[in-house]
Amino acid sequence: MEEIKYRGKKREGRHRDTWDPFQLNPIGAEKETKRRCFQLAQYLVAVLVGLAVLTSAVVAKGSLLVLSTLSSPTSMRSPKEKQFYMLMLVFCLVFPNFLVFLKSLWRCAFKSFVKPNMKTMLFIFAIECLVSLGTSTLVLVVMPQFDVLTNLFISGGVCIVSAILQIIYRLQRETWKIVFPICSLILTVAGYCLLGIDYYVRVTSYVDRQGADCFIYVGIGIFSSLLVSLCWWENPLQATNSMQETLSELDGFRDFVFVISSILRIIVIGGVYLIYYVLIEKSITWSDFILKDEDWELLQIGLVLLFLQAFCSAACHWFGVVACKIHSVRMSFALPVCFTGPAVLLLGLILFITEAQSLKGAQSGSITEFCESLVHLSHKNTTPVVLLEITRSICRTSLNSYYLQWPFSMLALEGVCMWSGFVTCTYYVWKIKVQRIERTAQLFVRRLYESAFIDLSLLLNTKMKVPRAQNQESGDDMQKCVIYLCATMWHETYDEMLKILTSKFRLDRYRGDPKEEHNDCFDFECHIYVDDAFMTEKETGRRLVNSYVTDLIHVVVEVYRVFTNKEPDDVSIIMTPYGGRMMFVMPEGNMLYIHLKDKNLIKNKKRWSQIMYMYYLLGWKGYIIKNPQKMTRQPNPSRESMVSMYGEIFVLPQHDNDHKRKFISDDNTYILALDGDTDFQPKAVILLVDRLRMYSNVGAACGRIHPTGMGPMVWYQKFEYAVGHWLQKTAEHVLGSVLCSPGCFSLFRGSALMDDNVMKRYTTTATRASEYVQYDQGEDRWLCTLLLQQGWRVEYNAASDAYTNSPEEFKEFYNQRRRWGPSTLANTLDLLHSGPETVKRNSSISRLYIFYQMFTVSSSILGPASVTLMIAGAFQFVFKIAGTNSIIIASVPPVFYVIVCFVAKPNNQITIAAVMSILYAFLMTASFFSIIGDMVIQGTFLTPTGLFLVSMAIMYAVTAILHPEEWGMIIYGLMYFICIPSGYLLLTIYSLVNMHIVSWGTRESSKGEGEVKKNHNILCDRNCALCCWDVKLQVTQESENLMLRPIAGQSAQQTPPLAFTDQHSLIQNAQPEAKVDTKAEKSIKALMRSPGDKLKEMVGKGNDAASLSSEDTLYKNSITPSLSDQGDVEEDDDLRIADIEQNELTVKDWVTPVKEEFLKKLTYANMKRNLQEQIRYTLRNIKEADDVCEELVLMLTDTLSRELSAVGPEDVLPESQLEELGYSLEEHARRILRINQMEKLENRVKAAIKKTLTAPQIKNLDEGEQDFWNKLLERYLTPIVETKAHTEEITRELKSLRNKGVFLYFIINVLWVVATYFLQAIGTDVLSIKIPKFFPNGTQSDESLNVEPLSLMFLFSFAILLLIQFLAMLYHRVYTLIHVVAYRSSEKDYKEKIEEEDDDCLTLENTDGLSFNNDDL
């Protein structure tokens, strides 16, 4: 209700100034706010991850301690049990090495392999062997000799080498922080000393008959800890840039090194175990490894502890990585890991206190008596084994001393010292800065974790300084990037244009002023490329913008008004070699360019628009920033029309962006490809930027595309898109690389597009039939194929949502897929054909992935046959027809439709397909219920068909639940199911047979491209419905007499090329260029003119037909072509001649009507609103200007109303009156500021007034860019003139290609159907696979199910494919959640920034340090 009142209040304010206060308010134009539910979910995820890290670390560490206690020589277990537990301890050390071996082997075999440097590799092998020797000696030899508390504390000493290296290299940014590693070293050494003293006291006090040989194990333990601490030698060296070449070289072949080193580590672990226990201790009895039935408890305890230790250590490592990636380093990573040791100790004490009562002797008077009583419990099964052994191990400490128990405090002090030394050594983790979805390789030095010391391993392995680009001073700073948003338009409707413009203005608001820094470190420009933007007047031959451009102009004005409550301020109209350009400064200061393409001057269609902006933004702009001397020098850097809305003057924004790009590499230059109807939020763009920013091998990334619209066809596409993204795209992303990044919403890396064989190859003009199919019918897929073949990766981000209109009509849908189907197949086959070479170049594509794609292509090729057999099964189910007969009947409709597609016209083909689709839908519905009925009759769903159907339903349901924002898509699944024959059978046939048709197929309209016929009067124009068909009735009358036009116009409406507000424009368009006004025309003008419309007549386009049509000139400094009455023209004739000589600019025919659209900002109603908003926007960030701001708004509005009291709300002011008004407003503003002692704001307020009164600028391109476009058009984009012979040749080749493709498809599918037919004919008893029949309760039936081998094989293969995709989806969902949480934790909060105005001097400043002051201006 409050929102309705607020909108009403704003509307009332507008209604005071104009009779047309109504406006559109696009969905999503309101400011984005942080949703509290998302914030709560973010904190909840952080807490859960932190608890997972702590729990898994505690369980992993506790399991290892229990295993070492159970395998101790002093434990009360039997030798056989000790031997088995020691083997489990060995497996605990082997498990992480085995995981690293598998992962590294996979990457070497299927990803990339770099030949290693032998010297570096041998050095790494030596270090790894020493580390493995230390780990295995400490865990397998030393720890079983110590008690459980000493084992818990001694692991803290493995940080000693890291502390020493930090001291040597002085890695601390602040000098005083060197105290931390020094304290760590001192505390660790003190802990070792206390360890020795503690055991000396035990020996001298005869605690638990402790022998003097323990000092040997103490020394070995200290030495082993030093060896283990070598594990993290890379961390300090990377932070200090020492051995940078060696470490960089190591990164290239690290996978191969890990394959060998993991094997060496396993060998060392096994060697230590065998040497110590076989050769030295001789305690292994090999026959004891053969376990018997009575050893079940032993096996159970050992395997459970092994599983807990191995699984939880791996889980702790993974959750630790997740905690860092979601920006919860302190709460979810550092805190739980640091307190793992104390948590294990606390948990042990709690268990001991709660469970010790069950032990005999718990009521004893002293600890020594209690420990002695434990010996009698060693053979009683009622006592928990783990608790008993842990308690027995504690009794080996000084607590069990008959003489002195105070030395136990030294053990406690040892634990405090070790823990404190470990925490102070890793202090830097608490201050580490990470980016969103930080790469694991940038978070941790080593891929391998040490399961025996999981908590220390995680912290010591965390990089001290996360490296970034080598050309940046600080590695912790996010790389800045520039994004070019490039939308291609082709006959979009008004509402579709509204979506894309609203999205771009949202991003402008999210980014804010480009002169200020942003959390996401990006700048952007918006470009819109309008295909087919011009049309020709039939009688005059003039090229004017068509109605699509008119709609686009209206949308820009409307959206600007919604976001700022005023008209566009900074508008420039530029004439270009390819047509024209309109340039706007968006509300926050970012740039919007609209490029109008004339198909007579430049190639039209989407691919050529993409080539156009790639060469312009990457080629030309990249060239001028590398050659600053080529950059445009403007004589007046403080041009008013380029001032931001805050009133802070800066060098022209379009050139300012070029200056910024000098410091941004091509790797960090991105192009966001958009369609003209795409709707997106700023979050979606940033999430795609994250992927390219963090992974240098990613050349493109796409988001989740949501089709919008209404009707059954849209419902079908909603589920189709959902399944395609949920399963197929996620599988491609996880298993290899996405094959197609759709052009409606995809982010491309500049350096990837500029790579060899990408952009240059993309400019190839199709000359052969196969090229027409691959190049022009699916340009997005072809571009991605080129990127993949060059070694770039294409990714999919499920959290980046974009919405685009989908075909709502059956015909439009079929025509769209007619382009997509053959193009998809052609590009996939091209990729598979170059598979061996692509595998060598692209680390993301493996041979297994190529095999996966071959399988998916094969299944798609067999799609028609599979659907035919499914229909045959439906006939068999529903009508109880024999199997062979049902196959014959099911094959008749596809064959019939193939014949229809060869002989009928495309529109008739689609009509017949629609009828057949309805019939198939009825059959599929009946088949669906028949399958369910058959399962009821059979009494089980455990049949191949029933099991497949149930498993599919469950899988899709689970998939939908895992996409909570899209779970409603599952509702459209039934619609998708019944339309399978239409989508996979009829559509495939239609696409193949019509492969020779290379027209676009969608949005084909003559609305904008037709010529304007002046004497074509429409007397009747009606759309009628006849049955199911739409019929258009139109009655016209040809007349040469212009006097009849107003009469005919009463009954019909004619769409003009540009919707002008005044009726004089219509008269101007209605007359030939060289005609003189006739009496009839004068009478029409008199009829149309209102009594008080004299000023409007002078502004209108028809004020002087001869002057506009014959002279084609414009004055730069004038507001309109003619803004004064006839008397003014006579008085100022001499001045105008001088202006013409100095400022004459030849303009094209289309410029003047476009400019007049933007001149509406100079009407009284618009100027009043614009002035108010300009003042508020200019002073909104200045704290002390709140009161004076409202006073300025009130007083200047009164001045404006007083000065223009005689002017109508829709009248455009002449130049002379604008000058007087500007002078009056500046004087009043100066007086108000002087009274309020705020003279320092004068320049800001004057700039706001000037912006309010500034007209659009018209100009040509500068000489350099003009030459670039001429050369680009000549080289790549000159319109193709097709000769009749060439057209016939291409048509013949396309039909030949069509025939080959149809024949191949037909043969493969027929073979599959025929094979199934003969298997049915032979009989299931002769050739079939018998499957036992089970009921849902698990009992087996006496009957068996007979299944054909081919059907079972296809069903089984399809099920495996779906299972792979489902598992890939689960994996992708987890990392999508991580990315979303990471984004939410760093999301921009829309808060007003308050500035202090300290300097009275106006300063113009650019990022290059170029500045101007008042004197310069």
Side-chain angles (χ1 to χ4, degrees), residues 321-327 435-438 440 443 1375 1378 1382:
V321 173
V322 171
C324 294
K325 290 188 175 185
I326 64 173
H327 283 206
Q435 297 185 28
R436 285 194 293 266
I437 61 167
E438 190 76 78
T440 306
L443 287 171
Y1375 282 92
I1378 292 172

Side-chain angles (χ1 to χ4, degrees), residues 902-933:
F902 271 101
V903 300
K905 293 182 178 180
N907 287 341
N908 296 333
Q909 298 172 28
I910 294 176
T911 303
I912 294 173
V915 175
M916 295 179 66
S917 298
I918 296 174
L919 299 177
Y920 271 131
F922 286 121
L923 182 61
M924 290 299 294
T925 304
S927 173
F928 176 74
F929 289 104
S930 297
I931 293 174
I932 297 176

Side-chain angles (χ1 to χ4, degrees), residues 488 606-614 673 762 779-780:
T488 54
K606 184 175 181 178
R607 179 159 74 97
W608 302 110
S609 293
Q610 291 177 329
I611 293 169
M612 178 180 173
Y613 65 65
M614 286 177 190
Y762 198 57
E779 63 287 331
D780 306 326

Side-chain angles (χ1 to χ4, degrees), residues 1012-1051:
V1012 179
K1013 192 171 183 180
K1014 292 302 167 186
N1015 295 332
H1016 190 195
N1017 299 310
I1018 302 173
L1019 299 179
C1020 179
D1021 188 5
R1022 299 248 179 135
N1023 291 321
C1024 305
L1026 180 62
C1027 295
C1028 297
W1029 303 96
D1030 293 330
V1031 179
K1032 184 178 181 67
L1033 299 178
Q1034 192 176 78
V1035 181
T1036 62
Q1037 175 180 348
E1038 298 291 336
S1039 174
E1040 295 297 331
N1041 191 352
L1042 293 177
M1043 281 295 293
L1044 295 177
R1045 291 187 56 80
I1047 303 174
Q1050 295 174 3
S1051 60

Side-chain angles (χ1 to χ4, degrees), residues 142 201 218 325 608 844 1061 1130:
V142 176
V201 173
V218 169
K325 290 188 175 185
W608 302 110
S844 299
T1061 55
E1130 294 176 356

Side-chain angles (χ1 to χ4, degrees), residues 739-759:
L739 297 188
C740 178
S741 188
C744 60
F745 188 71
S746 293
L747 190 69
F748 293 90
R749 188 188 300 274
S751 58
L753 296 174
M754 299 165 71
D755 200 0
D756 297 340
N757 296 326
V758 179
M759 192 190 300

Side-chain angles (χ1 to χ4, degrees), residues 253-304:
F253 54 84
R254 191 180 291 271
D255 292 318
F256 179 76
V257 169
F258 273 136
V259 170
I260 307 299
S261 64
S262 57
I263 297 175
L264 291 176
R265 286 172 66 105
I266 293 174
I267 292 174
V268 170
I269 293 170
V272 170
Y273 171 70
L274 294 175
I275 290 173
Y276 183 75
Y277 288 100
V278 175
L279 301 181
I280 299 177
E281 291 291 325
K282 298 180 180 179
S283 60
I284 294 181
T285 304
W286 299 106
S287 60
D288 288 344
F289 287 116
I290 303 175
L291 300 180
K292 301 177 182 179
D293 295 339
E294 59 269 16
D295 297 321
W296 167 246
E297 183 182 6
L298 168 65
L299 181 65
Q300 186 180 21
I301 295 175
L303 292 180
V304 167

